[in-house]
mmCIF file of all heavy atoms in Angstrom:
data_model
loop_
_atom_site.group_PDB
_atom_site.id
_atom_site.type_symbol
_atom_site.label_atom_id
_atom_site.label_comp_id
_atom_site.label_asym_id
_atom_site.label_seq_id
_atom_site.Cartn_x
_atom_site.Cartn_y
_atom_site.Cartn_z
ATOM 1 N N VAL A 893 -8.064 5.068 -3.864
ATOM 2 C CA VAL A 893 -8.043 4.579 -2.485
ATOM 3 C C VAL A 893 -8.440 5.639 -1.457
ATOM 4 O O VAL A 893 -8.289 5.426 -0.255
ATOM 5 C CB VAL A 893 -6.665 3.978 -2.142
ATOM 6 C CG1 VAL A 893 -6.457 2.685 -2.905
ATOM 7 C CG2 VAL A 893 -5.545 4.970 -2.472
ATOM 8 N N SER A 894 -8.952 6.767 -1.940
ATOM 9 C CA SER A 894 -9.605 7.746 -1.062
ATOM 10 C C SER A 894 -10.398 8.692 -1.944
ATOM 11 O O SER A 894 -10.049 8.909 -3.112
ATOM 12 C CB SER A 894 -8.584 8.531 -0.224
ATOM 13 O OG SER A 894 -7.863 9.449 -1.029
ATOM 14 N N PRO A 895 -11.472 9.286 -1.411
ATOM 15 C CA PRO A 895 -12.239 10.266 -2.192
ATOM 16 C C PRO A 895 -11.410 11.480 -2.598
ATOM 17 O O PRO A 895 -11.520 11.964 -3.731
ATOM 18 C CB PRO A 895 -13.377 10.647 -1.242
ATOM 19 C CG PRO A 895 -13.540 9.463 -0.345
ATOM 20 C CD PRO A 895 -12.148 8.945 -0.143
ATOM 21 N N SER A 896 -10.588 11.992 -1.696
ATOM 22 C CA SER A 896 -9.796 13.176 -2.028
ATOM 23 C C SER A 896 -8.786 12.889 -3.128
ATOM 24 O O SER A 896 -8.497 13.761 -3.967
ATOM 25 C CB SER A 896 -9.071 13.705 -0.779
ATOM 26 O OG SER A 896 -9.984 14.309 0.111
ATOM 27 N N TYR A 897 -8.235 11.679 -3.150
ATOM 28 C CA TYR A 897 -7.270 11.342 -4.203
ATOM 29 C C TYR A 897 -7.931 11.322 -5.573
ATOM 30 O O TYR A 897 -7.324 11.702 -6.573
ATOM 31 C CB TYR A 897 -6.609 10.005 -3.904
ATOM 32 C CG TYR A 897 -5.449 9.692 -4.836
ATOM 33 C CD1 TYR A 897 -4.389 10.584 -4.968
ATOM 34 C CD2 TYR A 897 -5.406 8.518 -5.573
ATOM 35 C CE1 TYR A 897 -3.327 10.310 -5.817
ATOM 36 C CE2 TYR A 897 -4.341 8.235 -6.415
ATOM 37 C CZ TYR A 897 -3.300 9.139 -6.539
ATOM 38 O OH TYR A 897 -2.249 8.864 -7.384
ATOM 39 N N LEU A 898 -9.186 10.900 -5.634
ATOM 40 C CA LEU A 898 -9.913 10.944 -6.902
ATOM 41 C C LEU A 898 -10.010 12.377 -7.412
ATOM 42 O O LEU A 898 -9.877 12.632 -8.623
ATOM 43 C CB LEU A 898 -11.310 10.338 -6.736
ATOM 44 C CG LEU A 898 -12.181 10.314 -7.995
ATOM 45 C CD1 LEU A 898 -11.531 9.480 -9.091
ATOM 46 C CD2 LEU A 898 -13.573 9.771 -7.671
ATOM 47 N N GLU A 899 -10.227 13.323 -6.504
ATOM 48 C CA GLU A 899 -10.276 14.724 -6.900
ATOM 49 C C GLU A 899 -8.895 15.218 -7.330
ATOM 50 O O GLU A 899 -8.757 15.922 -8.340
ATOM 51 C CB GLU A 899 -10.791 15.587 -5.740
ATOM 52 C CG GLU A 899 -12.184 15.228 -5.244
ATOM 53 C CD GLU A 899 -13.243 15.431 -6.309
ATOM 54 O OE1 GLU A 899 -13.102 16.385 -7.111
ATOM 55 O OE2 GLU A 899 -14.203 14.630 -6.362
ATOM 56 N N GLU A 900 -7.879 14.835 -6.596
ATOM 57 C CA GLU A 900 -6.529 15.351 -6.862
ATOM 58 C C GLU A 900 -5.960 14.864 -8.189
ATOM 59 O O GLU A 900 -5.261 15.613 -8.879
ATOM 60 C CB GLU A 900 -5.598 14.967 -5.708
ATOM 61 C CG GLU A 900 -5.889 15.738 -4.431
ATOM 62 C CD GLU A 900 -5.188 15.165 -3.219
ATOM 63 O OE1 GLU A 900 -4.317 14.288 -3.402
ATOM 64 O OE2 GLU A 900 -5.509 15.580 -2.103
ATOM 65 N N ILE A 901 -6.234 13.617 -8.561
ATOM 66 C CA ILE A 901 -5.638 13.120 -9.802
ATOM 67 C C ILE A 901 -6.309 13.715 -11.033
ATOM 68 O O ILE A 901 -5.827 13.519 -12.149
ATOM 69 C CB ILE A 901 -5.644 11.576 -9.883
ATOM 70 C CG1 ILE A 901 -7.060 11.011 -9.775
ATOM 71 C CG2 ILE A 901 -4.723 10.981 -8.831
ATOM 72 C CD1 ILE A 901 -7.099 9.499 -9.962
ATOM 73 N N SER A 902 -7.367 14.460 -10.849
ATOM 74 C CA SER A 902 -7.952 15.151 -11.987
ATOM 75 C C SER A 902 -7.041 16.279 -12.462
ATOM 76 O O SER A 902 -7.148 16.731 -13.596
ATOM 77 C CB SER A 902 -9.336 15.701 -11.632
ATOM 78 O OG SER A 902 -9.234 16.712 -10.643
ATOM 79 N N PHE A 903 -6.107 16.729 -11.601
ATOM 80 C CA PHE A 903 -5.158 17.762 -12.019
ATOM 81 C C PHE A 903 -3.709 17.393 -11.738
ATOM 82 O O PHE A 903 -2.795 18.153 -12.047
ATOM 83 C CB PHE A 903 -5.485 19.109 -11.351
ATOM 84 C CG PHE A 903 -5.540 19.079 -9.850
ATOM 85 C CD1 PHE A 903 -4.393 19.230 -9.096
ATOM 86 C CD2 PHE A 903 -6.750 18.909 -9.190
ATOM 87 C CE1 PHE A 903 -4.435 19.212 -7.714
ATOM 88 C CE2 PHE A 903 -6.808 18.889 -7.799
ATOM 89 C CZ PHE A 903 -5.647 19.037 -7.062
ATOM 90 N N LYS A 904 -3.471 16.178 -11.179
ATOM 91 C CA LYS A 904 -2.087 15.753 -10.939
ATOM 92 C C LYS A 904 -2.012 14.237 -10.963
ATOM 93 O O LYS A 904 -2.145 13.579 -9.935
ATOM 94 C CB LYS A 904 -1.587 16.294 -9.590
ATOM 95 C CG LYS A 904 -0.086 16.095 -9.385
ATOM 96 C CD LYS A 904 0.395 16.741 -8.100
ATOM 97 C CE LYS A 904 1.898 16.581 -7.945
ATOM 98 N NZ LYS A 904 2.397 17.184 -6.683
ATOM 99 N N ALA A 905 -1.811 13.697 -12.190
ATOM 100 C CA ALA A 905 -1.777 12.243 -12.338
ATOM 101 C C ALA A 905 -0.705 11.813 -13.338
ATOM 102 O O ALA A 905 -0.883 10.841 -14.078
ATOM 103 C CB ALA A 905 -3.144 11.727 -12.776
ATOM 104 N N ASN A 906 0.404 12.537 -13.360
ATOM 105 C CA ASN A 906 1.541 12.156 -14.196
ATOM 106 C C ASN A 906 1.135 11.943 -15.654
ATOM 107 O O ASN A 906 1.527 10.975 -16.296
ATOM 108 C CB ASN A 906 2.201 10.893 -13.637
ATOM 109 C CG ASN A 906 3.623 10.703 -14.155
ATOM 110 O OD1 ASN A 906 4.200 11.625 -14.728
ATOM 111 N ND2 ASN A 906 4.182 9.521 -13.958
ATOM 112 N N GLY A 907 0.326 12.853 -16.187
ATOM 113 C CA GLY A 907 -0.039 12.811 -17.592
ATOM 114 C C GLY A 907 -1.366 12.162 -17.912
ATOM 115 O O GLY A 907 -1.817 12.189 -19.064
ATOM 116 N N LEU A 908 -2.031 11.577 -16.923
ATOM 117 C CA LEU A 908 -3.299 10.878 -17.172
ATOM 118 C C LEU A 908 -4.525 11.747 -16.845
ATOM 119 O O LEU A 908 -5.646 11.238 -16.845
ATOM 120 C CB LEU A 908 -3.368 9.590 -16.341
ATOM 121 C CG LEU A 908 -2.375 8.484 -16.694
ATOM 122 C CD1 LEU A 908 -2.582 7.280 -15.777
ATOM 123 C CD2 LEU A 908 -2.509 8.067 -18.151
#
Side-chain angles (χ1 to χ4, degrees):
V893 291
S894 72
S896 288
Y897 189 55
L898 180 61
E899 300 297 325
E900 289 168 11
I901 58 176
S902 66
F903 56 86
K904 190 175 182 181
N906 199 13
L908 294 180

